[in-house]
Amino acid sequence: MPGRELRSRFHAAAGAMDEAERSLERGVLTARGIDRVLRVAWTVADLVGHERPDAGDVRLALQLRTGIPRGAPMALGALT
């Protein structure tokens, strides 16, 4: 699914993307990287049974994408 479609039709929880947007502003992520983080966050949310990604799902996706620890557990089993 194109990133634009993902952002316009499938919204994360309110405030969930704040940390990702700050990473974009600091140059840690590109716009393409934000799209990829959002895709992974949707996958994480689906795996743990969330209706849509919350801030924790996005933190885990950011950690997986950047390798920078963000206080998110690395094992999906720890999220359930």
Side-chain angles (χ1 to χ4, degrees):
M1 173 177 295
R4 180 176 24 179
E5 185 80 11
L6 187 63
R7 288 187 309 275
S8 66
R9 292 187 56 200
F10 302 98
H11 301 283
M17 293 297 291
D18 290 351
E19 190 170 349
E21 290 168 2
R22 283 192 298 275
S23 292
L24 176 66
E25 291 169 2
R26 289 192 313 258
V28 175
L29 287 175
T30 62
R32 177 187 266 174
I34 287 283
D35 290 347
R36 290 178 177 175
V37 165
L38 188 54
R39 282 187 188 96
V40 171
W42 271 102
T43 300
V44 170
D46 185 47
L47 290 171
V48 296
H50 296 157
E51 191 170 307
R52 58 187 180 164
D54 62 17
D57 301 330
V58 174
R59 270 193 307 275
L60 178 55
L62 277 166
Q63 185 170 335
L64 291 168
R65 176 78 183 151
T66 64
I68 299 170
R70 298 173 185 273
M74 284 301 293
L76 287 177
L79 295 175
T80 58

